[in-house]
């Protein structure tokens, strides 16, 4: 009887992690045409002339995200609707047309010698990384809430 109970407990212990693992599609490479229309429009309007090295879609349990990496190393990420969530430029500034004017004014006034190399929108906050490696975080009203 002890062996039967031990065997049942062992089988259940092995089965639970398999059931608990989320089912995702993972990442897969896609063509530019498979990006959401809003993402394609952002790329053509603000990243014209840049060649796409890789576009990929990541499927999670309840959402999709898209990433585009350009041949010059710049990267832009989009949510499932094609709205940008993160832009990383290694050597050049993030296109000014994508930066909220309140953030631009603050950076020009306080860090006039710096360029914005990265910008990320997440949960109502916007974080920018400057060329001097300072990170400035803004709330929804574009008030500074953190500087690192």
């Amino acid at each position: 009887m002890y062996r039967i109970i031990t065997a049942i407990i062992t089988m259940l212990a092995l089965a639970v992690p398999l059931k608990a693992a989320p089912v995702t599609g993972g990442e897969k490479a896609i063509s530019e045409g498979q990006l959401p229309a809003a993402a394609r429009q952002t790329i053509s309007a603000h990243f014209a002339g840049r060649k796409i090295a890789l576009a990929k879609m990541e499927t999670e349990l309840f959402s999709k995200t898209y990433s585009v990496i350009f041949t010059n190393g710049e990267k832009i990420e989009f949510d499932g609707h094609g709205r940008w969530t993160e832009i990383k430029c290694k050597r050049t500034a993030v296109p000014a047309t994508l930066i909220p004017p309140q953030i631009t004014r603050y950076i020009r006034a306080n860090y006039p010698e710096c360029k914005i190399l990265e910008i990320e929108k997440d949960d109502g906050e916007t974080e920018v990384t400057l060329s001097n490696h300072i990170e400035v975080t803004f709330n929804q009203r574009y008030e500074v809430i953190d500087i690192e």
Side-chain angles (χ1 to χ4, degrees), residues 111-127:
Y111 303 96
E113 73 287 351
C114 294
K115 298 185 286 186
I116 296 175
L117 299 180
E118 297 180 17
I119 186 167
E120 180 178 1
K121 295 188 291 188
D122 188 30
D123 295 331
E125 294 181 354
T126 304
E127 182 179 302

Side-chain angles (χ1 to χ4, degrees), residues 3-140:
R3 287 185 184 179
I4 295 172
I5 293 173
T6 304
I8 291 172
I9 291 173
T10 302
M11 288 189 314
L12 288 174
L14 291 174
V16 169
L18 294 176
K19 275 291 204 197
V23 179
T24 63
E27 290 184 1
K28 72 174 190 176
I30 60 172
S31 68
E32 183 179 354
Q34 292 174 293
L35 291 167
R40 290 192 313 268
Q41 183 179 7
T42 298
I43 291 169
S44 64
H46 305 284
F47 294 90
R50 291 178 178 92
K51 185 175 179 180
I52 294 176
L54 175 67
K56 58 185 177 177
M57 176 181 66
E58 183 174 352
T59 305
E60 296 184 13
L61 193 56
F62 296 109
S63 65
K64 289 182 182 179
T65 57
Y66 300 88
S67 299
V68 174
I69 301 170
F70 298 98
T71 55
N72 66 356
E74 295 175 348
K75 180 179 180 181
I76 184 167
E77 295 183 7
F78 301 95
D79 65 13
H81 302 288
R83 296 178 297 237
W84 70 266
T85 57
E86 185 174 0
I87 302 169
K88 292 184 177 184
C89 299
K90 295 184 185 244
R91 293 174 202 87
T92 61
V94 171
T97 52
L98 292 172
I99 302 170
Q102 301 92 326
I103 292 176
T104 301
R105 281 194 297 274
Y106 177 86
I107 299 302
R108 282 187 186 152
N110 295 284
Y111 303 96
E113 73 287 351
C114 294
K115 298 185 286 186
I116 296 175
L117 299 180
E118 297 180 17
I119 186 167
E120 180 178 1
K121 295 188 291 188
D122 188 30
D123 295 331
E125 294 181 354
T126 304
E127 182 179 302
V128 297
T129 303
L130 306 177
S131 54
N132 65 355
H133 306 291
I134 289 178
E135 296 176 358
V136 184
T137 306
F138 299 85
N139 63 15
Q140 290 177 331

